[in-house]
Amino acid sequence: MMNLFLPTILKLPNKSRYIFLFLLIFIFPPLAKTQEVYDLSRCVLSGLENNFSLKIAKTQEQISVNNYTLGNAGYLPTISTTNRFGGTLNNTNQKYSDDSRKITNGVHNNSASANVNLDLTIFNGFQVQTTYQKLNELKKAGVLNTQLNMEDVVSRIIAEYYLHVQQLILSKNLAYAVSLSRERVRIDEQRYLLGSSSKLELLQSMVYLNADSSRYAKQTENVLASQVRLKKLMALENLEENIILSDTVINIDTSLVYNTLLNTTLEQNTGLLLAQKDQVISELDYKIISGRAYPYLNLSSGYTYSFNRYAVGDLKNQQVNGLNYGLTLGMDIYDGFERRREKLNAKIGIETQKYQYQEIEQSVKADLVTIYYAYENNLKLIKLEEQNLEVARENLGIALERYKLGDLSGLDLREVQKSLLDAEERLISVQYLTKLAEISLYQISGQIMKDI
């Protein structure tokens, strides 16, 4: 709607233009609400709430939570019931020793029974207690797995958030480059009309303007693509919704210290914590296997009711009910050395988990050192590029004044303008790389969620 009025507005005098714009804002207030403003916290919280990969991880965690029960470990008794009703329908032909016979047809007998049984493991070599501990560790591992996925989602959202900020800054710089090229075309056009410059200079200026406009259009596409990726990570329902970021610069934490990060990493890194859980679980598996060498004691009890009806004979029917109970003491004496084989494999599993923990710890330390060196170096580069940018801006200001006076060629002006654009791009690139290093350091040290 605003685009329909824009050409008319620009033709109005300054005073009338401001009045018209002021009225337009109040006439069309919904236009100001079509874009949602998102800060980093809102983006992260939206991703934690809606991201699909994180939802899958949470469902897996819920399974491990559901498995952590006394019944699943074997603490609780099992109660079962069996009930049966049936009968027989027989024909009998009996021959006695005196050659007499007795034939009976259609003898229908009925029977019914009902049983309730209770079984409880009293002792089985501490396997029940150890299994319960294992289920608890598996539950904690499920929580850590979810946390690992959450950290990954958060780090990706933060990285994409600041990538979008970077693309917006680059777009702003290119828009400024277009405005400079447009100003140069205006100057060369006036010179050409006054006869103080050739048409070649004007045409060359127009070529530069078109080139800058083309780059700006391509950058607009990059901005939109970055925004879509960010909204995808946030799992927004409407990917076509236009959002505005509250941040316009890339904020960098310059206070990170390596020794502090190292200590925090060894204590809080989620991958290391998971590896520790795997060690504990492998040790509990060994204890469960060792527990099978102990005797076991089981309690069983039940209540039985039965009823039988007889069609022939002196007994017409019979009813029996009563309680039964018993203790079973047993021990596995020989199982073909299967338990011995499983214990050896469990010991190997414990050693394997130790090696895997050491491997993960070494890999985490190596990543921390590498990324921290990059972080430190990029901080130095930022200061250098900020100085270069100041010089490039000052140089452009001087070059523009000389160009207006005709004391500088168009080619030299273009070179100065390109130097400024390159300096801006290098600075924002180094800032973003530093931010990525900062995000990685927070993630490795287990601190990526601390401000969420």
Side-chain angles (χ1 to χ4, degrees):
M1 183 70 70
M2 182 71 76
N3 293 334
L4 298 177
F5 293 99
L6 190 58
T8 305
I9 296 173
L10 295 177
K11 294 178 182 179
L12 295 173
N14 287 341
K15 186 175 181 180
S16 301
R17 186 188 309 170
Y18 296 143
I19 294 174
F20 193 87
L21 286 172
F22 181 78
L23 293 174
L24 194 61
I25 292 174
F26 287 93
I27 294 173
F28 300 103
L31 295 177
K33 299 181 180 179
T34 57
Q35 295 177 325
E36 288 283 343
V37 179
Y38 283 79
D39 60 7
L40 180 58
S41 296
R42 183 178 179 184
C43 291
V44 171
L45 291 175
S46 177
L48 291 178
E49 182 179 354
N50 302 318
N51 186 273
F52 295 110
S53 62
L54 191 53
K55 287 183 177 181
I56 294 173
K58 288 180 179 178
T59 59
Q60 297 300 316
E61 177 191 345
Q62 189 59 47
I63 292 175
S64 63
V65 172
N66 294 340
N67 287 337
Y68 179 54
T69 63
L70 293 172
N72 194 24
Y75 270 110
L76 303 181
T78 59
I79 300 175
S80 60
T81 178
T82 56
N83 303 277
R84 183 181 182 279
F85 175 80
T88 60
L89 183 61
N90 298 319
N91 297 324
T92 61
N93 189 337
Q94 297 173 317
K95 183 177 180 180
Y96 296 97
S97 57
D98 59 358
D99 292 332
S100 62
R101 289 179 178 275
K102 183 180 180 181
I103 299 175
T104 308
N105 295 322
V107 178
H108 190 191
N109 297 327
N110 300 113
S111 64
S113 64
N115 300 283
V116 178
N117 300 304
L118 180 145
D119 295 290
L120 175 64
T121 300
I122 298 177
F123 178 77
N124 66 343
F126 306 104
Q127 292 183 64
V128 171
Q129 294 87 338
T130 308
T131 300
Y132 193 62
Q133 294 177 22
K134 178 182 176 181
L135 292 174
N136 187 31
E137 295 300 324
L138 288 172
K139 184 191 74 171
K140 294 177 181 178
V143 174
L144 288 173
N145 270 314
T146 301
Q147 181 178 327
L148 191 65
N149 280 273
M150 290 175 68
E151 291 176 352
D152 180 63
V153 169
V154 170
S155 63
R156 287 164 58 195
I157 290 176
I158 296 175
E160 195 62 50
Y161 180 90
Y162 282 107
L163 177 61
H164 190 47
V165 172
Q166 180 200 41
Q167 296 302 319
L168 290 171
I169 296 174
L170 290 175
S171 181
K172 180 180 177 181
N173 293 341
L174 287 173
Y176 178 63
V178 171
S179 67
L180 288 178
S181 296
R182 187 175 289 111
E183 175 65 13
R184 178 179 171 180
V185 169
R186 186 190 66 78
I187 295 172
D188 288 343
E189 186 176 16
Q190 288 182 347
R191 286 180 177 177
Y192 173 70
L193 294 176
L194 294 173
S196 61
S197 177
S198 67
K199 189 174 183 180
L200 179 62
E201 288 286 338
L202 175 59
L203 293 176
Q204 188 62 50
S205 299
M206 295 176 67
V207 169
Y208 290 149
L209 174 60
N210 290 336
D212 290 339
S213 299
S214 177
R215 289 189 63 187
Y216 177 68
K218 182 63 178 177
Q219 181 59 30
T220 302
E221 180 183 337
N222 293 336
V223 169
L224 293 175
S226 173
Q227 186 179 117
V228 169
R229 289 195 300 270
L230 178 59
K231 289 185 288 189
K232 181 181 177 183
L233 287 172
M234 294 162 58
L236 295 182
E237 291 185 5
N238 185 11
L239 293 178
E240 298 177 356
E241 175 191 0
N242 191 26
I243 64 174
I244 299 176
L245 303 188
S246 61
D247 289 289
T248 57
V249 295
I250 297 178
N251 301 307
I252 299 172
D253 184 358
T254 60
S255 62
L256 300 181
V257 180
Y258 175 75
N259 288 333
T260 304
L261 287 171
L262 177 60
N263 293 332
T264 308
T265 297
L266 296 177
E267 294 176 0
Q268 300 182 16
N269 180 271
T270 309
L272 288 176
L273 294 176
L274 266 173
Q276 290 175 357
K277 289 300 174 190
D278 290 337
Q279 277 187 289
V280 174
I281 291 171
S282 63
E283 292 170 358
L284 292 174
D285 283 335
Y286 179 81
K287 289 183 178 180
I288 291 173
I289 296 172
S290 300
R292 286 160 45 190
Y294 290 88
Y296 58 85
L297 179 64
N298 297 330
L299 168 68
S300 61
S301 178
Y303 181 83
T304 303
Y305 171 83
S306 64
F307 176 82
N308 295 277
R309 186 181 65 83
Y310 307 101
V312 296
D314 297 333
L315 187 62
K316 188 174 182 180
N317 59 63
Q318 177 178 269
Q319 177 178 302
V320 178
N321 63 288
L323 180 69
N324 64 81
Y325 58 89
L327 290 173
T328 302
L329 177 65
M331 184 176 181
D332 295 329
I333 298 176
Y334 177 74
D335 62 353
F337 301 108
E338 279 298 297
R339 185 170 61 251
R340 179 173 175 272
R341 176 187 63 81
E342 292 178 7
K343 287 179 65 175
L344 289 174
N345 289 340
K347 279 187 177 180
I348 295 173
I350 294 174
E351 291 297 318
T352 301
Q353 292 300 330
K354 289 181 179 178
Y355 295 144
Q356 287 183 349
Y357 178 84
Q358 293 172 357
E359 181 182 20
I360 294 172
E361 184 181 41
Q362 186 182 50
S363 177
V364 167
K365 287 181 178 179
D367 290 342
L368 182 65
V369 172
T370 304
I371 296 172
Y372 189 79
Y373 283 161
Y375 166 79
E376 273 193 327
N377 186 57
N378 285 333
L379 287 178
K380 297 175 183 177
L381 289 177
I382 287 177
K383 295 181 179 179
L384 180 62
E385 292 300 338
E386 286 175 344
Q387 295 174 358
N388 289 338
L389 182 58
E390 290 180 8
V391 173
R393 285 173 177 169
E394 184 178 357
N395 193 25
L396 178 64
I398 296 172
L400 280 174
E401 292 300 323
R402 290 182 60 190
Y403 186 75
K404 291 177 181 178
L405 297 174
D407 194 27
L408 188 70
S409 68
L411 187 60
D412 290 337
L413 177 62
R414 181 66 180 180
E415 197 63 33
V416 172
Q417 182 182 348
K418 185 177 182 299
S419 296
L420 174 62
L421 194 61
D422 290 344
E424 291 172 335
E425 289 183 358
R426 286 198 307 271
L427 176 59
I428 188 61
S429 176
V430 173
Q431 287 176 335
Y432 180 65
L433 290 175
T434 309
K435 190 64 182 180
L436 287 182
E438 176 196 321
I439 295 168
S440 298
L441 290 174
Y442 275 128
Q443 184 176 7
I444 290 175
S445 60
Q447 302 180 81
I448 196 70
M449 305 285 294
K450 68 174 186 177
D451 295 327
I452 304 305

